[in-house]
Amino acid sequence: MENSVFAAVYERAWRPVFTRLFSLGGTSTLVAGRALTGRLGRPGDRRVLDVACGPGNFTDRFARDLTGDGFCVGLDFSTPMLARAVADNDAPRAVYVRGDAHHIPFPDGSFDSVCCLAALYLIGDPLRVVDEMVRVVAPGGEVAVFTSVQTTLSSVPGARQALGMGGFRIFGRDEITDRLTAAGMRDVRQQITGQGQYVLATAPHDD
């Protein structure tokens, strides 16, 4: 991710192909993804955090229809990715910050929506990142994740180990949902499509 050439082609070529592979060549993952990104990109005076934003395509999309004091922060550790984001996805309400998703550099309850889409399976300590996402979401806010999930296909002996050698993690079916529930999130919903999962959860309101 620190390679500037990879950063330039990632969103235009690598990510679309990779997402299609989650559906084994079909479109189910793309359809579910449009529904979730449509929700995250809804209009309003909202504060949105896009964790591991890469070159900022989602950040830009989520920022476009925000109103009032609304803004979307794209957070990534890769300098080349952020350079592409600033160059290619500079919606007026999009802001890019270099930071470690294991230690998100914002106070508790800073954002109305926090997401990590198509990146969690490449992060070193992903469950720590999930905990951080929960920490920075405001009461009544939402946390959204798109990532891998173990299926019959990925349960073939040696499949998870082989992918793991390349830095790609396959999450157990309940690994993400259980972590969100343990962190106090409510209404945790999971949609499995192909080899991927979309998870949406709501932070409890203050009593």
Side-chain angles (χ1 to χ4, degrees), residues 63-192:
R64 289 175 196 169
D65 294 325
L66 295 175
T67 58
D69 293 326
F71 59 88
C72 182
V73 175
L75 176 75
D76 206 280
F77 192 72
S78 167
T79 300
M81 286 290 185
L82 291 174
R84 296 309 314 174
V86 171
D88 297 340
N89 293 297
D90 59 344
R93 295 174 183 271
V95 180
Y96 295 100
V97 174
R98 185 173 186 269
D100 183 356
H102 301 94
H103 307 279
I104 294 176
F106 296 103
D108 297 359
S110 295
F111 296 92
D112 302 299
S113 299
V114 181
C115 66
C116 183
L117 307 179
L120 198 61
Y121 42 65
L122 298 174
I123 294 176
D125 188 355
L127 297 182
R128 170 69 178 269
V129 174
V130 172
D131 292 343
E132 280 288 278
M133 293 171 67
V134 171
R135 180 183 66 78
V136 298
V137 74
E142 62 194 353
V143 169
V145 173
F146 168 62
T147 192
S148 60
V149 68
Q150 187 172 4
T151 65
T152 301
L153 181 61
S154 58
S155 297
V156 171
R160 295 182 77 176
Q161 292 82 354
L163 290 167
M165 291 175 64
F168 182 87
R169 176 168 176 158
I170 298 177
F171 292 94
R173 195 176 186 91
D174 301 318
E175 199 169 355
I176 300 297
T177 55
D178 284 353
R179 191 74 171 204
L180 288 166
T181 300
M185 298 294 284
R186 298 177 180 172
D187 192 22
V188 179
R189 288 168 280 169
Q190 179 191 54
Q191 180 180 359
I192 294 177

